[in-house]
Amino acid sequence: MTDQATDVLVVGGGPAATWAALKAAEAGARVVLADKGYCGTSGATAAGDTRVRAGAVVLATGGCAFLSGALGTNTNTNTGDGALFAAEAGAELSGMEFSNAYGIAPEGTSVTKTALYTFATFYQQDGRVLEGAASAGGRSVIARELLTGAKAYATLDRAGEKERAAMRLAQPNFFLTFDPLGIDPFTDRFSVFLCEANCPVDALFVSPLTRPLP
């Protein structure tokens, strides 16, 4: 077994973990970053037997969404093994209530890029604006509309050209839902629903992506 001593142990290699490791190192701390792949990627768990003694631990191993079927959450990623690892080590976990948040997704998909809907206008099935609906602080309005049996729609029409280009660069998988169907999410209305990222998609209401009637 290899023994290492460090000031900060960062578990995970995604953007959050990498940023935490960089900032800790910039502050003068000795940092060890442990990931099952390479920074910025997720892959099969690498073999090894290492013990790290650290003054502080940052756990940023992603969520537990491998059953959702969402893009990038296959059987090797978002497995919840980081939370299990922490629990087995005796860590006290906080903020777990946020692990079951319902994200906004195009209906019939599991692509929950809720932050992008900051630039959205939401609509009722009859074309009227769904007042109060928003990605932050307004998802309950969308939920109430869906619970009536009606559909809810969105258009990312509040995004300017700069934001649109940035979205396509940063989240290309979001547009895989729309591009093959010839839907422009910045100008066309598309149906949305709320998807619990930690649930299997087949346990949720799923129907084909549709556009509203004129």
Side-chain angles (χ1 to χ4, degrees):
M1 176 180 290
T2 301
D3 277 280
Q4 296 190 45
T6 187
D7 297 317
V8 178
L9 168 64
V10 178
V11 183
T18 305
W19 184 258
L22 287 171
K23 298 305 289 185
E26 288 177 1
R30 296 175 302 163
V31 180
V32 170
L33 185 146
D35 186 53
K36 57 187 176 183
Y38 297 96
C39 284
T41 70
S42 292
T45 302
D49 192 4
T50 302
R51 178 171 55 197
V52 180
R53 302 182 184 277
V57 177
V58 176
L59 187 69
T61 55
C64 183
F66 66 97
L67 291 179
S68 72
L71 294 174
T73 60
N74 56 31
T75 54
N76 288 329
T77 62
N78 283 355
T79 56
D81 50 356
L84 178 61
F85 155 68
E88 289 180 339
E92 293 185 6
L93 304 179
S94 65
M96 297 304 290
E97 65 271 20
F98 299 108
S99 67
N100 286 320
Y102 283 81
I104 304 171
E107 185 181 8
T109 79
S110 58
V111 184
T112 54
K113 304 296 183 182
T114 300
L116 274 60
Y117 293 92
T118 302
F119 300 96
T121 301
F122 294 91
Y123 298 89
Q124 295 174 288
Q125 190 165 328
D126 61 9
R128 291 180 297 163
V129 172
L130 185 57
E131 299 292 345
S135 62
R139 274 178 263 179
S140 59
V141 175
I142 301 171
R144 284 194 292 269
E145 185 72 9
L146 294 174
L147 287 172
T148 68
K151 290 182 178 291
Y153 296 85
T155 305
L156 305 182
D157 54 355
R158 296 167 57 193
E161 291 300 323
K162 182 178 179 180
E163 289 81 11
R164 296 180 185 189
M167 288 181 192
R168 282 196 171 273
L169 181 63
Q171 299 290 348
N173 59 337
F174 175 79
F175 297 92
L176 293 177
T177 299
F178 304 104
D179 291 345
L181 299 174
I183 297 175
D184 184 348
F186 300 113
T187 58
D188 298 329
R189 296 179 190 175
F190 55 93
S191 53
V192 296
F193 79 143
L194 299 180
C195 175
E196 185 179 4
N198 289 352
C199 280
V201 170
D202 56 11
L204 301 166
F205 173 72
V206 174
S207 64
L209 182 68
T210 56
R211 299 193 199 194
L213 295 174

